[in-house]
Amino acid sequence: MSTHSFTFQPDAEDSLQQLGAYQRSVQDSPHLLILVFANRPAEDLEPILPWFDALWPQATVVGAYCGLVVDQGRIMNDTVVVQCMTFERTQLRLNYIPWDTNLLELGQRLYEPVVRQDTRAALTFTSDPSSHYHDLFSWVNRTRPDITIAGGRMRGYAEGWVYADGQILTHHAVTVTLSNPTLDVHSQAYAEWHLIGRTWSVTKAVGNVVYELDHHPIQQLYARYLNEGQPLEPEDFRNFPLMRISGDAQILSMPTDPAGNGGFVVSTPLLEGDQVRFAYSHPSITFEQVCSGAHHLGKHRPEAILAFNCITRASLDCDNPEQELTPLQAVAPLSGAYCFGEFHHEQGRTLPLQHSLTTLAIAEDPAVEKPMPEYHSHSLSRLFRLIQESVKDLDQVNQDLEAEVGRKTKELFRKYETDNVTGLANRVALLQSLRDADPWPIVQVCSLKVNNLRQINNLYGYAVGDQLLRNLSYAIQTDITELLPTTALVFRGSPNEFLIAAPDACSHQAFFRGMEQLAERLQSQSDLFSDRLVQNVLPILLTAGTAHQDELPPDMSHSPEDLLIKASEARRHAYSHQLPIARAVDLKGNEQIKRDGLIWLSRVRNALSNGDILPYVQPLFDRRGHIHHVEALMRLRHDDQIYTPGAFLELVKPTQLYPRLSMLMIDETFRQLKDQKVGFTLNFTARDLGNTDLIERLKYWLKSGVDGNRVTLEIVESDGLRDFDRFAYTLHELRRLGCKLAIDDFGSAYSNLERVLHLKPDWIKLDGSLIRHLNDSDINRILVRRVVQLCQDLNIRTVAEHVHSESILNSLHAMGVDLFQGFFLAEPMPVGEFCQTRLAREEIFG
């Protein structure tokens, strides 16, 4: 492999003569690669660039606009640099295509035609202003992770172009692949980011626009910290991106343009709740990294190095920006360009970077190893090291402070768990004991209430009432040692309530009898009042209720809250029926009592915080038994149990938790299914369609590269069609993005045929009540057959859910139903389980 590079001024009168002279030193060959970089408008290069193809007709010629050019380690402006590389055994293949917003498809169409089994590297340049490039490399990352891709986005915020096949192109992507099984390729990237200041939480973000950090407009924060509150120029805020720490990865999100309402368009989308910090990098502080990388690279003896640096790094205040290129130039001839986003290959993946120096070293026959000069650190690197260590010290101070706050919090919590009147542990402590089974598992609780404590306080003052509570506390603790066959614990519940908890060493009957005797004994003790004026004058009125874990209904979770609630219900039952004590098991209809709504709201809130809201999928089989589509269904995980929405959704709908559930289902469904080759359905109600933030999140995902044809919105007919006019426009906007429409429960009591057909749905789901009794009802069979015929005439596909038997399946198949879904075919399951068993399920169906 031989290399030559030269530069010229494109507006010089003798530029063509210079090219003619260079032709004599660079021989034409099909193995010749010519890279032309220029920071000049396309019209300045139009008379010149075609001459490269004319002078070297067998060569592969690629050109690109750039911010600055690099030749032999020197940075130059207003100049054209030409890098010629003549290979001996490497095959070159060129491809270029117009830009497309569907980057997944664009990447495959760009690389697949020119990638071969022995392809080792690809040089890629784009001339589109978009800064979202992750999906462009998905096909290569998935099918050929061994291919090293280098290059960058060769377009600024105003202009840019690429050159290929004799044409200057805008809004295009061009790539040149290098195929040679023995080609030695090494990729490196340099950018040392320093995190500065406190951690911020993203409190408002939609798509790739961030509006608020900790509820402050993000533009105001940048102006405040960088320019004393005054407006900023783009080059100012672009030098200070936000860094999100996700595990061991540092994900950079750079402000690229101002947006309305005080927001910034960012290079990598951030979600609400993400924790970020400001970051800063400077060419001088990466110099030590470059020196180390150059020493490592020198051992591989490359024949040429291509450098793609970020233009923002050249605009920073630096005494000598060429200094960081010097170690690389000492290894091998160095040429390249400053671009507006760099591509880097690392650990089997190509990623778009920002604010980085990337290099690609190439060798067919390794060159002679060169001695590396010694370098001294720049003073700025010491300064930033000092800043970095100071920030670490500040973080440590914050951690120590948090530890101290945690200790104080535990101390306060211990006080919080203790009743200051009786000295007993309170209800909070009891709940914790129930959860921890400490000192032993509590299986039964008695709720004992002083019914006339308020009257005592009103008549004789709080001092008398408090003394009564203290005396009651002492009496209860003393008497239960005699009345119960085992140790029990006493807690203070509400202001006029005591809670007695016992383990399973005490039987149901013994505990109930002991509590019955305790209530009777306490009511007969007039000496519980310390004030003699009150003794024998004011009675103590008590009511009690008991509950045992074994007595709880089977549909309850047997949580600590359930046990206390059932004991309180038994006490209230005793009070309302003028009984001294009652058991939860004796309450009429106890097995049918629903879970308390507040408990489920708490569980849903915890599930949202702990990641326990899960998307399950249920496959839809076509008439041949293939699975092309699944329905995403919400599930809640609590104490290792999985619950369907029937247990909690109606309770949650009137609250602010409902839109959070819907938002999470959209995000998790798209994240888990976007890379799977299967369509999926999301269930929507009129409430969802009226939520602007929810619709914007759905639009964001539909514009993120997911094929809209894979996404179906299933509208619950009974909940939505009565508000047709209100959400018809929203559905129209979503369908413009490619998604399909399905109507659920068609044939139910709310069916409105005219409005359903006006929506022109792609699918209609037959009401499950029709399917469940299909073989038992002539009316149902007639209805289903007529609906299927109508849909066939209107080119609408039909889906039968609740397919629970083979006979039902055969009947529906004979009627011409298109898709089938039900427990007989497959139950809802996690996404991972579906992916592993998909083929097996299709084979069983077939």
Side-chain angles (χ1 to χ4, degrees):
M1 171 182 173
S2 60
T3 63
H4 295 84
S5 68
F6 55 87
T7 62
F8 65 88
Q9 301 296 324
D11 51 359
E13 295 181 358
D14 60 345
S15 56
L16 294 181
Q17 294 181 359
Q18 295 179 46
L19 286 180
Y22 294 138
Q23 182 193 25
R24 292 188 289 272
S25 60
V26 180
Q27 185 177 357
D28 188 23
S29 166
H31 297 283
L32 172 62
L33 173 61
I34 300 178
L35 301 175
V36 184
F37 299 117
N39 59 329
R40 297 293 294 268
E43 54 266 22
D44 292 351
L45 278 297
E46 284 179 346
I48 301 173
L49 287 177
W51 280 97
F52 284 91
D53 293 274
L55 294 173
W56 292 278
Q58 299 183 73
T60 299
V61 183
V62 173
Y65 173 84
C66 60
L68 297 171
V69 299
V70 178
D71 180 53
Q72 303 299 314
R74 294 175 295 118
I75 301 173
M76 292 176 285
N77 191 13
D78 202 30
T79 303
V80 179
V81 63
V82 180
Q83 174 67 53
C84 301
M85 293 184 286
T86 302
F87 298 92
E88 295 181 4
R89 301 176 301 279
T90 300
Q91 299 294 321
L92 305 173
R93 294 180 177 88
L94 171 67
N95 191 27
Y96 58 93
I97 56 176
W99 192 257
D100 190 334
T101 55
N102 186 343
L103 295 187
L104 292 172
E105 181 181 339
L106 174 66
Q108 183 170 356
R109 290 193 295 115
L110 178 65
Y111 290 107
E112 189 173 28
V114 290
V115 167
R116 299 295 184 269
Q117 191 62 36
D118 59 349
T119 298
R120 296 282 292 118
L123 292 171
T124 301
F125 307 104
T126 67
S127 60
D128 190 87
S130 172
S131 58
H132 306 288
Y133 279 84
H134 289 80
D135 290 338
L136 178 64
F137 309 109
S138 296
W139 183 83
V140 176
N141 290 338
R142 184 177 66 255
T143 61
R144 289 297 305 277
D146 57 318
I147 294 179
T148 298
I149 297 179
R153 178 164 62 98
M154 316 307 285
R155 183 184 180 94
Y157 297 94
E159 58 184 347
W161 50 266
V162 294
Y163 176 83
D165 199 19
Q167 306 173 71
I168 295 180
L169 307 166
T170 58
H171 299 285
H172 271 67
V174 58
T175 190
V176 178
T177 57
L178 285 65
S179 300
N180 177 356
T182 62
L183 188 68
D184 196 26
V185 178
H186 295 276
S187 176
Q188 293 179 329
Y190 305 98
E192 185 170 351
W193 290 100
H194 290 262
L195 301 180
I196 301 173
R198 54 168 285 192
T199 299
W200 299 85
S201 179
V202 178
T203 50
K204 184 177 181 181
V206 178
N208 65 328
V209 179
V210 177
Y211 293 98
E212 293 180 359
L213 300 180
D214 283 0
H215 303 288
H216 298 287
I218 188 172
Q219 286 189 28
Q220 291 185 12
L221 283 178
Y222 267 82
R224 170 189 167 193
Y225 281 98
L226 299 180
N227 201 28
E228 297 181 346
Q230 299 303 310
L232 294 170
E233 296 297 326
E235 58 268 19
D236 295 327
F237 57 74
R238 290 171 188 152
N239 290 334
F240 293 87
L242 298 173
M243 183 75 76
R244 176 168 68 91
I245 308 299
S246 177
D248 296 331
Q250 294 184 341
I251 302 173
L252 198 67
S253 190
M254 178 176 294
T256 58
D257 293 288
N261 297 325
F264 274 133
V265 179
V266 293
S267 59
T268 302
L270 293 169
L271 299 179
E272 293 179 6
D274 284 346
Q275 303 293 304
V276 297
R277 292 174 71 176
F278 289 109
Y280 181 70
S281 182
H282 193 278
S284 63
I285 61 178
T286 60
F287 180 69
E288 294 179 22
Q289 285 186 333
V290 176
C291 291
S292 175
H295 277 277
H296 175 76
L297 190 60
K299 298 176 182 178
H300 297 281
R301 297 179 291 166
E303 295 177 279
I305 299 177
L306 297 174
F308 302 101
N309 209 341
C310 183
I311 189 62
T312 58
R313 295 166 59 83
S315 64
L316 293 177
D317 219 1
C318 183
D319 294 337
N320 183 11
E322 293 180 354
Q323 183 185 33
E324 68 177 358
L325 303 178
T326 306
L328 298 170
Q329 174 63 27
V331 175
L334 176 71
S335 295
Y338 278 78
C339 45
F340 306 87
E342 309 78 57
F343 305 152
H344 173 60
H345 183 267
E346 184 177 282
Q347 297 180 350
R349 288 181 59 82
T350 296
L351 298 171
L353 303 181
Q354 294 280 352
H355 211 82
S356 302
L357 165 63
T358 63
T359 61
L360 179 70
I362 304 174
E364 275 192 320
D365 299 300
V368 176
E369 187 172 357
K370 299 179 181 179
M372 295 293 298
E374 295 184 1
Y375 296 96
H376 299 285
S377 297
H378 194 284
S379 60
L380 274 180
S381 72
R382 304 299 183 194
L383 171 62
F384 279 97
R385 294 290 182 192
L386 177 62
I387 294 174
Q388 192 174 45
E389 293 304 316
S390 299
V391 171
K392 289 180 181 179
D393 291 341
L394 182 60
D395 287 342
Q396 185 61 50
V397 171
N398 289 334
Q399 292 173 11
D400 294 341
L401 181 60
E402 289 175 359
E404 178 64 16
V405 169
R407 188 183 66 79
K408 292 288 186 182
T409 300
K410 289 182 179 179
E411 183 178 338
L412 290 173
F413 196 73
R414 281 195 296 270
K415 294 180 179 179
Y416 176 67
E417 291 179 334
T418 304
D419 174 44
N420 60 353
V421 174
T422 63
L424 294 173
N426 60 20
R427 186 185 183 92
V428 175
L430 173 56
L431 287 171
Q432 193 61 45
S433 297
L434 286 165
R435 295 187 186 100
D436 297 343
D438 182 27
W440 23 251
I442 294 172
V443 298
Q444 50 197 345
V445 172
C446 174
S447 171
L448 182 67
K449 187 173 183 178
V450 184
N451 297 321
N452 59 336
L453 180 63
R454 178 180 299 176
Q455 291 87 339
I456 294 172
N457 287 331
N458 291 338
L459 286 172
Y460 297 99
Y462 285 97
V464 173
D466 288 349
Q467 186 59 49
L468 170 63
L469 292 174
R470 284 190 286 270
N471 292 344
L472 276 172
S473 169
Y474 177 78
I476 292 172
Q477 294 179 79
T478 302
D479 291 349
I480 60 175
T481 60
E482 176 186 342
L483 298 173
L484 295 178
T486 184
T487 302
L489 299 177
V490 183
F491 299 84
R492 174 87 183 275
S494 60
N496 57 347
E497 180 188 30
F498 292 92
L499 297 167
I500 299 98
D504 56 3
C506 180
S507 67
H508 304 54
Q509 297 79 5
F511 183 70
F512 180 76
R513 285 197 305 270
M515 294 300 97
E516 186 178 32
Q517 294 171 6
L518 175 66
E520 181 180 351
R521 180 180 295 188
L522 292 175
Q523 288 191 120
S524 64
Q525 292 182 19
S526 62
D527 58 350
L528 287 173
F529 290 103
S530 60
D531 193 326
R532 292 179 179 273
L533 295 176
V534 183
Q535 292 180 8
N536 301 317
V537 175
L538 189 66
I540 302 173
L541 304 179
L542 301 174
T543 305
T546 66
H548 192 285
Q549 280 189 355
D550 292 345
E551 300 172 342
L552 296 179
D555 63 338
M556 296 193 74
S557 63
H558 294 202
S559 70
E561 294 90 345
D562 290 335
L563 193 60
L564 297 186
I565 287 172
K566 288 304 172 184
S568 297
E569 287 182 357
R571 173 180 50 74
R572 287 193 292 270
H573 176 80
Y575 181 79
S576 63
H577 290 77
Q578 298 181 347
L579 300 173
I581 189 171
R583 297 187 304 174
V585 71
D586 295 329
L587 300 184
K588 291 183 178 180
N590 194 53
E591 287 84 9
Q592 287 76 37
I593 296 176
K594 299 288 185 179
R595 293 181 179 85
D596 189 281
L598 291 177
I599 294 176
W600 266 112
L601 291 178
S602 175
R603 290 173 183 169
V604 171
R605 186 180 293 108
N606 291 336
L608 283 165
S609 301
N610 299 332
D612 286 329
I613 300 296
L614 313 171
Y616 270 44
V617 294
Q618 187 175 21
L620 280 71
F621 293 79
D622 66 14
R623 296 175 62 83
R624 293 183 299 171
H626 296 156
I627 302 172
H628 301 290
H629 209 89
V630 297
E631 180 179 2
L633 301 166
M634 183 187 301
R635 294 295 184 264
L636 182 146
R637 180 172 55 204
H638 174 71
D639 286 347
D640 295 326
Q641 296 291 322
I642 299 297
Y643 295 91
T644 66
F648 57 89
L649 197 58
E650 290 302 319
L651 294 169
V652 172
K653 276 186 177 180
T655 73
Q656 294 180 349
L657 296 177
Y658 180 77
R660 291 179 59 191
L661 284 173
S662 301
M663 193 78 76
L664 185 62
M665 271 297 293
I666 290 176
D667 287 341
E668 288 304 312
T669 301
F670 273 90
R671 282 176 178 150
Q672 294 191 33
L673 291 175
K674 67 177 183 178
D675 294 328
Q676 305 299 326
K677 294 182 178 179
V678 67
F680 55 95
T681 295
L682 288 164
N683 290 309
F684 269 64
T685 66
R687 183 190 301 268
D688 298 321
L689 294 172
N691 187 325
T692 304
D693 291 339
L694 200 70
I695 298 303
E696 288 301 317
R697 180 64 63 88
L698 181 59
K699 289 180 179 178
Y700 160 71
W701 279 110
L702 290 172
K703 297 176 182 178
S704 68
V706 177
D707 184 3
N709 288 323
R710 293 176 51 207
V711 183
T712 301
L713 306 182
E714 183 172 324
I715 307 303
V716 179
E717 182 192 351
S718 61
D719 201 5
L721 289 182
R722 288 172 292 180
D723 292 324
F724 167 83
D725 292 330
R726 184 162 61 89
F727 64 79
Y729 178 77
T730 300
L731 289 175
H732 175 70
E733 288 295 304
L734 294 173
R735 296 184 79 178
R736 286 181 57 191
L737 297 175
C739 60
K740 298 178 181 178
L741 177 64
I743 301 299
D744 189 23
D745 294 337
F746 187 80
S748 68
Y750 293 99
S751 293
N752 187 317
L753 183 60
E754 179 182 359
R755 289 189 169 181
V756 169
L757 297 181
H758 186 78
L759 284 174
K760 298 180 180 178
D762 302 279
W763 298 359
I764 278 181
K765 257 192 172 183
L766 301 172
D767 182 38
S769 62
L770 297 176
I771 306 303
R772 278 193 293 268
H773 304 290
L774 184 68
N775 289 345
D776 305 325
S777 169
D778 292 335
I779 295 176
N780 284 14
R781 286 194 293 273
I782 293 171
L783 282 174
V784 171
R785 190 179 298 112
R786 294 289 173 83
V787 170
V788 172
Q789 182 62 53
L790 175 64
C791 290
Q792 289 174 346
D793 293 341
L794 297 174
N795 198 27
I796 299 173
R797 304 185 77 185
T798 50
V799 182
E801 57 183 355
H802 297 286
V803 178
H804 59 275
S805 69
E806 185 175 5
S807 62
I808 293 288
L809 176 63
N810 293 335
S811 297
L812 293 167
H813 201 283
M815 291 180 184
V817 174
D818 299 301
L819 297 169
F820 310 91
Q821 180 184 19
F823 279 25
F824 172 70
L825 302 172
E827 296 185 15
M829 66 195 78
V831 175
E833 180 182 338
F834 164 73
C835 295
Q836 294 175 0
T837 62
R838 176 179 180 178
L839 293 178
R841 294 178 185 278
E842 290 181 336
E843 292 174 1
I844 292 175
F845 186 98

